[in-house]
Amino acid sequence: MLKTIDSLGDLNGKRVLVRCDFNVPLKEGKITDDGRIRAALPTLQKLLDSGAKVITMAHLGRPKGQVMPEFSLAPVVQRLAELIGVKVTLAQDTTGADAKAKAEALATGEILMLENVRFDPRETSKDDAERAAFAAEMAALADCYVSDGFGVVHRKQTSVYDVAKLLPAAAGFLVLKEIESLRKATDNPERPYTVVLGGSKVSDKLGVIANLLTKADSLLIGGGMTYTFLAAQGYAVGKSLLEADQIDTVKSYLDQAKQNGVELVLPVDVVVTPEFKPDGPTTVVAADAIPEDQMGLDIGPKSRELFAAKIAESKTVAWNGPMGVFEFPAFAGGTKAVAKAMQDGTAFSIVGGGDSAAAVRQLGFDESKFSHISTGGGASLELLEGKVLPGIEVLEA
Ligand code: ADP
Ligand code: MG
C-alpha cells in the first residue's frame, strides 16, 4: 500500500516539498504541451487547500549537472501560475541561499518552485553519499515530502528516492492513479488480457516481452519490431527496420509463447514504401512477401482488422508503441486502428509510452475514452515489465 497525503496528518502551515514531472516540451522558450503541468494540479491544489506552503521540485531537459539557462523552469512557473491561480515564485537555485531564503519567507497558499534539480550533478549521481548529501539539503527546506512525478519514479535519483527517506513521505494523486491503473493490468488482469506492442525497436522492450509471455493471453506485435519477428520466422524483410542480433532472442520468445499457451499475433500484411519519407508510393503486401527494395512502415488493413478483433474480445488491453510511423499520415492507419478499437471496446484500456500517448492525442482521439493514459513512458514500461521501482518502493507503508 502506498502512503497517501492524508497519512501526513495536519498540513496547515507546514512546508511540503513536492516532486513533480514538469519536463515539458519547449520550442523557442515556449511550452508546446502543458499536459504534465496539468497532471500535477490535483495534488498541488489539495496541498494548498490543506493550508500547506508548497515547494515544488522538478527537472527540465538534460542540463547534465550544470546550470544552463535554457533549461530554467521559469516558463513552467508562469504557466503553473496561470493554471492554478496563486502566486508562484522561482528560486534562483535548487537548495542554495536563494531557495532557503524563499522557503523561509513562503506564505500559506503560495508556491515556491525550486530551480531545475538537474542543475546539480548530485541529483543523478550513482554515488549514494553524494545523493544523500543533496537530499539532506532538500529535506532541510520542508516538513514533509510528496512524490508526484510519475515520469521519474523508475529513477533512483535524489529528488525521487533519497529525500523520501529523510522526511515523512507520501504519494501524490498522479502517482497513486498511475500505480492503481497499471497494477490492474499487471497484478490481476481481467481476462482475456491482450497486450499490443509496437514502437521502433525490439531491444527497447525485451524485458516487457519476456514478462508478458508469462502473463498475457495474447500479444499483438506491430511497429518496427514486427520485422525482427518476421525474420525470426524465416521471412525476408527488405529494407525494413531489422535488429539481426535479436533474432535468436525473438525465436526463443516464439517458442516460449507456444509453451505458455500465449497467442502471439504478428501482422499478416504490411504497408511498404521504397524510402523513409512521408510521400513516397505505398503498396500493401503480405507479411511473407516484402520486396527486397522496400521497407514496411505500417501494418496493413488485414492486420488492423485482426488486431481490432482481438482487442474487441478482450477485458484488459495494454498498449505500448505505435504500429507504424504515425508521424507520417500515410503510415498512421495501423496506430489509428488500434486506438479506435481500444476506444470503442469495453475492456479496461491502458496506453503507456511517450510516443503512443502522443499518437492518441495527435490523431485526434478523445483521451477520456481510454481507462488510463500514462504520463510516464519508461516508468509505465518498467511496471509492465514487473520491476520494482525505487521511487515507488520508498512510498510503501
Ligand atoms: P513509445 O514511446 O510509445 O514507447 P517507441 O519510442 O518505442 O514508442 O517508438 C515510437 C517510434 O516508433 C515512432 O517514432 C514511430 O515512428 C516508430 N516506428 C513505428 N513503426 C515503425 C516502423 N515500421 N519502422 C520504423 N519506425 C517505426
Ligand atoms: Mg518513445
Side-chain angles (χ1 to χ4, degrees):
M1 277 287 284
L2 292 181
K3 288 181 277 188
T4 61
I5 292 175
D6 288 334
S7 77
L8 298 174
D10 184 7
L11 293 176
N12 198 18
K14 295 256 177 74
R15 289 186 179 77
V16 182
L17 191 58
V18 191
R19 178 52 158 108
C20 298
D21 180 1
F22 288 148
N23 192 24
V24 291
L26 288 175
K27 209 172 190 174
E28 282 149 20
K30 292 233 156 49
I31 297 169
T32 55
D33 180 2
D34 63 4
R36 284 179 163 162
I37 305 176
R38 290 176 184 275
L41 296 177
T43 293
L44 297 178
Q45 191 62 56
K46 155 91 177 171
L47 294 172
L48 291 173
D49 291 346
S50 312
K53 301 172 178 176
V54 177
I55 305 174
T56 69
M57 51 181 180
H59 76 280
L60 181 66
R62 291 170 187 260
K64 303 208 167 121
Q66 284 173 32
V67 177
M68 295 174 79
E70 65 266 41
F71 295 121
S72 167
L73 283 164
V76 177
V77 166
Q78 202 190 340
R79 187 72 191 116
L80 177 59
E82 285 164 14
L83 289 170
I84 204 160
V86 304
K87 188 173 163 198
V88 185
T89 313
L90 179 67
Q92 299 307 308
D93 48 33
T94 311
T95 56
D98 194 53
K100 275 187 213 155
K102 285 184 172 143
E104 192 63 38
L106 189 61
T108 296
E110 292 184 359
I111 299 177
L112 171 66
M113 191 177 297
L114 303 181
E115 189 50 285
N116 196 332
V117 286
R118 291 195 190 164
F119 282 176
D120 192 309
R122 294 174 296 173
E123 168 67 6
T124 57
S125 171
K126 295 279 173 261
D127 183 318
D128 290 349
E130 282 185 9
R131 288 199 321 276
F134 193 29
E137 293 175 19
M138 288 175 183
L141 298 172
D143 302 299
C144 45
Y145 170 78
V146 172
S147 175
D148 212 26
F150 179 72
V152 286
V153 291
H154 58 313
R155 306 282 188 208
K156 196 173 184 177
Q157 296 176 346
T158 311
S159 66
V160 180
Y161 177 76
D162 302 84
V163 68
K165 301 192 150 189
L166 300 182
L167 289 172
F173 293 137
L174 176 63
V175 164
L176 279 181
K177 178 167 172 273
E178 291 271 7
I179 295 292
E180 252 167 44
S181 301
L182 285 154
R183 280 188 181 161
K184 260 195 206 173
T186 53
D187 291 3
N188 218 339
E190 235 196 295
R191 297 183 181 277
Y193 172 29
T194 297
V195 179
V196 191
L197 280 184
S200 47
K201 292 179 175 170
V202 190
S203 50
D204 286 349
K205 303 193 176 167
L206 290 176
V208 71
I209 299 173
N211 182 266
L212 290 169
L213 285 172
T214 66
K215 289 217 169 104
D217 300 302
S218 310
L219 198 54
L220 318 184
I221 302 283
M225 67 171 75
T226 302
Y227 306 94
T228 307
F229 275 86
L230 293 177
Q233 292 191 316
Y235 301 149
V237 297
K239 288 159 70 182
S240 309
L241 194 68
L242 173 66
E243 286 176 275
D245 58 339
Q246 302 297 337
I247 291 179
D248 285 339
T249 311
V250 167
K251 274 186 187 159
S252 80
Y253 289 157
L254 293 170
D255 290 342
Q256 269 175 54
K258 256 196 206 119
Q259 277 166 24
N260 300 352
V262 174
E263 188 185 23
L264 213 152
V265 187
L266 292 175
V268 292
D269 57 353
V270 296
V271 183
V272 297
T273 188
E275 309 281 341
F276 190 89
K277 58 179 192 179
D279 50 4
T282 62
T283 322
V284 174
V285 299
D288 60 358
I290 299 176
E292 207 182 333
D293 57 350
Q294 308 248 335
M295 62 181 76
L297 294 188
D298 197 7
I299 61 172
K302 286 203 184 104
S303 312
R304 294 171 204 172
E305 266 178 46
L306 181 66
F307 285 17
K310 289 283 164 211
I311 292 168
E313 64 196 32
S314 305
K315 291 252 166 59
T316 306
V317 183
W319 173 32
N320 175 288
M323 295 293 98
V325 182
F326 73 95
E327 295 91 337
F328 301 157
F331 307 105
T335 303
K336 259 187 202 159
V338 163
K340 182 162 189 327
M342 286 179 75
Q343 174 191 273
D344 294 349
T346 53
F348 181 77
S349 54
I350 295 185
V351 184
D355 291 291
S356 317
V360 165
R361 284 193 280 266
Q362 271 173 38
L363 298 174
F365 286 91
D366 178 355
E367 291 179 67
S368 69
K369 295 272 170 58
F370 296 82
S371 308
H372 184 67
I373 299 186
S374 179
T375 56
S380 63
L381 204 58
E382 290 198 15
L383 282 168
L384 286 178
E385 278 176 49
K387 283 192 186 158
V388 174
L389 310 190
I392 294 301
E393 205 190 354
V394 287
L395 306 174
E396 299 281 358

